[in-house]
Amino acid sequence: MGATAAQLRANQAARQFVEVVDAVEPVAEQMCRARTSGLNCDFQIVVDDRADQPPNAFQTVDRFGRPIVAFNLGLINSVENADELAFVMGHEAAHHIRDHLTKTRESATVGAVVFAGIAAISGAEAEAIKNAEQLGAAVGARTYSKEFELEADQLGTIISARAGYDPVRGAAFFARIPDPGNRFLGSHPPNAARLEVVKRTAASLGL
């Protein structure tokens, strides 16, 4: 019995994912080692194989500091070409190379201390101080989030280009995700701003 159309698409998406990982991961690791000192650059690419999750990819580190770039099936199956997948992979790897997780934690800590201090000086009760600390941590964590996303777009453009992909074509992925606009304390910049960074960076590379 032959494979269904859905199975064929899934198999094609899986092959494309493996090919992109094989091309992008070594470039990301090479760039990580060239641009950082003391940072673990041994990327691990993992897949969340739950089929009921909305498209998503993110970067984190394990308890030993090894960088992890995670994709779920929703994202792997939703990209329209290898360029889009390579751009997303380069973007997430760039977050680690720019050490954004550490910087976000530091911003959250500063925000928590500042807000709690203001509440304490104003004579607030213990519960109010705790709430202010939590709010401060949230505000602090988002203080540079838009800037970090644009930095990751810029470096992700370079990574995907050096891996042999077209980052401008890859950034077309933005056109199919909700545009966050320029909301106060939003975590992501407007899609138009992100695309502009990609185009400008690609032009600087002669693409």
Side-chain angles (χ1 to χ4, degrees):
M1 186 174 181
T4 66
Q7 289 172 328
L8 291 173
R9 286 195 299 271
N11 290 340
Q12 182 180 3
R15 286 194 298 271
Q16 177 175 263
F17 180 76
V18 171
E19 290 171 359
V20 170
V21 169
D22 286 346
V24 175
E25 184 178 8
V27 174
E29 291 181 349
Q30 180 183 39
M31 191 165 295
C32 179
R33 295 186 178 100
R35 288 174 173 247
T36 67
S37 177
L39 196 66
N40 190 324
C41 295
D42 183 18
F43 282 95
Q44 180 179 16
I45 313 298
V46 301
V47 175
D48 176 355
D49 61 1
R50 292 175 295 172
D52 58 344
Q53 300 298 304
N56 191 31
F58 64 91
Q59 183 267 320
T60 187
V61 295
D62 67 14
R63 61 193 181 96
F64 301 109
R66 184 181 183 184
I68 296 172
V69 176
F71 293 80
N72 67 8
L73 292 180
L75 189 140
I76 292 171
N77 292 326
S78 69
V79 296
E80 292 191 349
N81 51 64
D83 296 300
E84 292 186 356
L85 189 58
F87 179 79
V88 173
M89 194 172 296
H91 171 94
E92 297 302 336
H95 275 307
H96 177 69
I97 297 170
R98 299 300 296 262
D99 204 16
H100 287 159
L101 281 180
T102 299
K103 293 174 182 176
T104 297
R105 285 194 294 267
E106 290 172 350
S107 296
T109 299
V110 170
V113 171
V114 170
F115 273 57
I118 292 173
I121 291 172
S122 66
E125 298 292 334
E127 184 64 25
I129 293 175
K130 180 180 179 181
N131 291 338
E133 184 176 3
Q134 292 173 343
L135 175 61
V139 172
R142 290 177 179 265
T143 299
Y144 299 106
S145 58
K146 293 180 182 180
E147 178 184 333
F148 291 165
E149 290 301 322
L150 293 176
E151 288 179 353
D153 288 337
Q154 186 267 343
L155 185 54
T157 297
I158 298 172
I159 292 172
S160 59
R162 289 187 178 177
Y165 295 95
D166 182 344
V168 176
R169 187 170 183 245
F173 183 74
F174 292 143
R176 299 198 310 282
I177 61 176
D179 192 335
N182 197 23
R183 294 181 293 112
F184 177 63
L185 292 183
S187 62
H188 286 65
N191 290 345
R194 302 183 69 179
L195 185 56
E196 176 59 29
V197 166
V198 173
K199 289 181 176 179
R200 186 168 62 247
T201 304
S204 73
L205 298 173
L207 301 177

